[in-house]
Amino acid sequence: MKNNTLSPILLFATFPANSAGLMPPSFTSSVPPLEIYNPNKTAMLVDQLRFRVSSPLATPSTGFNQDGQGYDSRAGGAIGIEILLGSIPLTNRTVTLGALCPRYIAQSTRALRFNGYIDGPGNDPVFVWHLPKPLYVPPLVQLTIRMVRQPLYPTDTPQLDLFQIVQGLSVAVVGRSLPSDFPVPGEIDVPFVTETQNNNPALTRFVSKDSDLVNKSNVPLDVVMFTGYNTWFGRETEVVVSPNPTFTVQMTASNGTMLIRDPVPFLAVFPSSKNILPLSARLQPGEFFRAELECVADTPAFGLYNLAFTAIAMHGSRKVQTPGTLG
Amino acid sequence: MKKVIRPSMPAFPKSTLATNPVNDAYANKVVGGAPVAFSAQAELAANEIVVLNAQTLQSGFRTPYFIDEIRVSMMTSPYDATTVGDSTTFPTRAFTGLSGAVDILFQTGDKMFSADFVPTGLMAPIFGPLDYGSAYNDTVATVTRSRAFSTVRWLLPKPLFMPAGDVVLANVRLNDPFGVFGDYWTSGAKAVKVTVTYIGRLVPPGYTAKTRDVPWLAWFSKLASESWKSSQTRFRNPFLIPAHVQRFVSRTYAVKYESASPVENYFSELWQTGQVPSTAVPYQELKMDDSRGYSIVPRYAPIGMVFDATRKVWTFGRELTSREQFNMEIRNALPTPALAANTDYLTNIGLIGYRTEDV
C-alpha cells in the first residue's frame, strides 16, 4: 500500500552507557542511528527533541536526580548534546542540555522531581527542544545525536559520585512521517544552536570567545532567541534574591549592535519561569555575539561558587541545500 | 375543522442593554451570537449513575446554538464515616484523582460521543493546577473535615452545532474501581458533587447547518500490576465515515490501601504520567502503530516521553478512515516492577476527536 498519509511519529532511543552502566564525567556516546531512523521509509519532519535523564533509585544519596542534598537539578548542566543531519551540524560542538532546551514549565527541573503523594523516586526531568522550524529529514539521511557528560567542576570531588547517571539518558525524536510522494524541497531550514559556557567556579568575570556565539556557516543565520542556564551550589538558580549571588550579563554583537548595553542581572534577562530572551536578528557569516558575565555578589563568603556553571546559547536557523542520501 | 388557536409567543422583551445581544449585528457577525452557558449538577454515591437534568442543559432561547466547550467540576462532600484517617493526611493525599473517578457518557439525539463512560480526566489537556485536583479544609464544628476538588475544561475539537430544542445529555457515574470511597463515606452517602457546564454561543439569525462535527472519545487503561496490555479495538473508528483524531491524552492515577487503623486509603493522580514509583522499575512504556502498518511509536518508549510533560497530551492531527484503528501496547519497563504493598497505579490513555455527521 502506498504511504500516502501524513502521520505523527515518535522515535525513542537510549544513549548507551559504559560497561558498568554508568556515564561518568567526560563519557561520550551516540544514539544508535537505526533507532531514530523512520521505519516508514519516508521523509519526516522533526518538530521536537525530548531528552530524559532517568535515575530511579529511591535513596537520595545515590540517585542523580534525588532530593534532599541540594544536588538535585544538575542534569541540565551535566550533559552536552551535539546533533548532525548527515554532515550538516545543528549545533556548534556540544550545547549544554539546560541551554538547548528552555525551561519547559514555570519551574526548574528540581521542582519537577516531586512525584505527588507517593513515596519513592522522583520524576525524571524531561528537557524539550522545540525546533525553531520543523527539520526536514530526507529518507536514508542519518540523524546523529551525541552526548557528552560534562564535568561540573574542574577537579574531582566526592560530589561527583552523585552525578553518575544510573539509569541513563534517552531521547525521543518527535515529528511527522511524510507521504512517500511528498515533493523533495530544494532547500530546507536547519536549526543551529551554539553556546558559550563557563565551568570555572573560581571566576568572578567571564567573557565569551568570538568563536562561541558565532555564525560559522556561509549563509545568514536568523537568530530567534538566547537561552540562559545557570546552576549554583547544586541547583538551578531560580530567584534573584540573596543568598544566591547576583551576577550580571551584557551582550554586544560584532557589528556594533548593543543587545544588552548595561549590566543586567542574569535572572532578569533569563527569568526562572522561562529562561529565554527572544529576539529577531540576522547574523551574516562570521558575525558573532559577545557575552560578558560579572559577579557582583554581596556575599563573598560563598567564594568559589560565584559564577558556578553558566551557559548562554544562541538559537537560530539557516537555509541549507537539501542533503542527498548517504546510504 | 375546528380552528386551533395557539397562544402567540410573547414578544421578546426590550433589552435594557445598549444593544439587544440576540440581534446585535456586531456580535452576530464577529462572535456568532450571544454567549450562553447551561449547567446541571448532581450528587453521586460510589458506583451510582445519574442522568443530569436535561432541561437546565438545554437552550431556553429555542434557537440553534453552538457548544464550544464543556466544563466539569467535581468536589467531594465532607466524609461521614467514623473510621477514617486523620484530617491532616486526607486533604493532601486523598481523592485528588477525582478526574479519574468521575466518568461521563455524552449523547445528543442518536449521536454518542463515546461507546461507554469516559473518565473526565481524559477529555482534555491539563489546563492548570486545579486539574490535578486539590483539597482544602472545611471546618465543621470541632472536627476538621476536608474536601477534594478537581476541574476539567474541554474545548471541543470543533464547535458543536445544536439544532433548536436539541440537548447533549450527560450521564455521570462515580466510578469506584478500588472501593476507596467506601472508607470515607457510608454506603449510599453522596460522596461527590459533579457540575457539568456547556459554554457556547447562540447562532446568528438565518444561520443553517447541514452537517455538524460531533466529538468522538475513546480510551483504555492498564494497571501497573498487569505486565502488559493491548488496546485491541479501543481506538478503532467505529463510524462509516472518516474520523479526525485531534489528540491523545494520558493520566496515571494511584491508589493506596493502608491497612493500619485509622484507615488512610487514597486515590490520587501522579504528576508525571506513566511514572510508576518503584524501587525496581520506574515507568510504563508504550508502542503504537496503525492498521495500515504505519509505525507511530515503533519501539517501546516511556509514556512520560510520549505525552507532553505539562499538558499530558499528544496532539495528533490525523484522519482515520472508516474501521481503521490505532494499535497500542503498554507494558511495564522490564523487569516487572515490584510494587509497594497494597498499591497500584492505573494509567489511562484517551483519544479525542470528532466526525462530521448530518444534522
Side-chain angles (χ1 to χ4, degrees), chain A residues 9-12 36 44-51 83 90 100-102 104 126-137 143 145 170-176 191 274, chain B residues 304-311 313-316:
Chain A
I9 190 162
L10 188 143
L11 305 170
F12 175 76
I36 51 173
M44 63 178 178
L45 289 174
V46 177
D47 298 303
Q48 291 182 17
L49 292 182
R50 299 175 186 169
F51 297 90
I83 308 168
L90 273 67
L100 176 68
C101 307
Y104 198 46
V126 175
F127 298 83
V128 181
W129 180 35
H130 294 266
L131 276 63
K133 293 193 179 177
L135 174 66
Y136 178 88
V137 179
L143 194 61
I145 306 176
S170 52
V171 63
V173 177
V174 186
R176 292 158 282 166
K274 190 130 177 153
Chain B
M305 285 280 267
V306 175
F307 292 87
D308 181 296
T310 58
R311 302 178 73 226
V313 293
W314 183 10
T315 299
F316 224 63

Side-chain angles (χ1 to χ4, degrees), chain A residues 151-190:
Chain A
L152 289 180
Y153 295 95
T155 56
D156 284 344
T157 67
Q159 286 87 343
L160 278 175
D161 291 339
L162 294 175
F163 306 153
Q164 306 285 10
I165 302 173
V166 178
Q167 185 78 358
L169 173 68
S170 52
V171 63
V173 177
V174 186
R176 292 158 282 166
S177 186
L178 295 171
S180 55
D181 57 356
F182 191 86
V184 178
E187 60 177 16
I188 57 176
D189 290 297
V190 178

Side-chain angles (χ1 to χ4, degrees), chain B:
Chain B
M1 182 187 294
K2 187 176 179 184
K3 186 177 179 183
V4 176
I5 301 173
R6 300 182 192 280
S8 58
M9 290 293 291
F12 195 89
K14 268 196 172 179
S15 172
T16 55
L17 301 173
T19 58
N20 184 334
V22 175
N23 295 320
D24 185 284
Y26 175 78
N28 289 338
K29 279 185 185 170
V30 175
V31 301
V36 292
F38 315 118
S39 185
Q41 195 176 72
E43 292 185 349
L44 291 91
N47 299 311
E48 187 179 4
I49 296 175
V50 169
V51 181
L52 295 185
N53 186 341
Q55 288 193 336
T56 61
L57 290 176
Q58 190 174 35
S59 168
F61 292 104
R62 308 299 294 173
T63 64
Y65 60 100
F66 286 108
I67 296 179
D68 295 308
E69 62 180 88
I70 297 176
R71 299 180 187 177
V72 184
S73 65
M74 300 149 269
M75 186 166 71
T76 59
S77 308
Y79 56 80
D80 62 2
T82 55
T83 55
V84 294
D86 64 272
S87 58
T88 309
T89 307
F90 178 81
T92 60
R93 293 191 355 179
F95 299 110
T96 56
L98 282 181
S99 62
V102 175
D103 305 344
I104 302 184
L105 176 63
F106 291 108
Q107 179 175 0
T108 175
D110 61 346
K111 309 284 188 284
M112 298 177 76
F113 286 14
S114 56
D116 198 356
F117 285 88
V118 176
T120 54
L122 298 183
M123 294 178 182
I126 300 288
F127 235 100
L130 285 183
D131 288 31
Y132 288 103
S134 186
Y136 70 93
N137 285 330
D138 175 22
T139 302
V140 176
T142 59
V143 177
T144 300
R145 296 176 181 175
S146 307
R147 304 171 189 258
F149 61 91
S150 183
T151 62
V152 170
R153 184 184 175 197
W154 179 21
L155 281 143
L156 300 186
K158 289 252 176 125
L160 174 62
F161 176 78
M162 299 296 292
D166 210 351
V167 66
V168 175
L169 287 177
N171 304 275
V172 184
R173 177 177 75 183
L174 178 57
N175 196 11
D176 191 13
F178 300 104
V180 181
F181 283 89
D183 296 318
Y184 290 86
W185 289 273
T186 51
S187 176
K190 302 296 183 183
V192 177
K193 181 186 287 185
V194 178
T195 305
V196 175
T197 305
Y198 302 148
I199 307 287
R201 302 156 282 150
L202 293 181
V203 165
Y207 180 92
T208 56
K210 293 183 181 173
T211 62
R212 58 176 176 167
D213 298 310
V214 182
W216 170 43
L217 300 171
W219 71 287
F220 100 112
S221 63
K222 179 194 166 307
L223 291 166
S225 51
E226 299 171 304
S227 60
W228 171 89
K229 198 165 181 182
S230 167
S231 64
Q232 296 178 339
T233 57
R234 288 302 194 111
F235 297 135
R236 167 180 284 186
N237 175 6
F239 312 109
L240 296 175
I241 51 176
H244 186 89
V245 178
Q246 182 196 33
R247 54 169 58 107
F248 283 90
V249 60
S250 176
R251 301 217 198 189
T252 297
Y253 300 93
V255 65
K256 190 163 186 182
Y257 308 101
E258 302 274 3
S259 56
S261 180
V263 168
E264 290 182 2
N265 302 340
Y266 57 83
F267 183 60
S268 63
E269 181 176 358
L270 297 192
W271 201 102
Q272 191 169 65
T273 186
Q275 183 89 14
V276 176
S278 163
T279 54
V281 172
Y283 47 74
Q284 296 175 315
E285 303 174 319
L286 74 81
K287 71 174 181 178
M288 185 173 170
D289 59 18
D290 68 14
S291 47
R292 292 190 187 203
Y294 278 115
S295 290
I296 298 170
V297 184
R299 302 176 61 245
Y300 279 106
I303 290 180
M305 285 280 267
V306 175
F307 292 87
D308 181 296
T310 58
R311 302 178 73 226
K312 300 197 174 178
V313 293
W314 183 10
T315 299
F316 224 63
R318 159 101 186 249
E319 195 169 84
L320 278 180
T321 55
S322 175
R323 310 303 186 199
E324 201 178 0
Q325 73 186 47
F326 294 117
N327 304 309
M328 191 180 286
E329 287 179 13
I330 296 183
R331 71 174 188 189
N332 300 321
L334 298 175
T336 303
L339 297 173
N342 298 322
T343 301
D344 211 341
Y345 304 90
L346 180 70
T347 292
N348 290 335
I349 295 187
L351 177 156
I352 303 171
Y354 66 91
R355 76 277 191 187
T356 304
E357 302 251 21
D358 293 334
V359 172

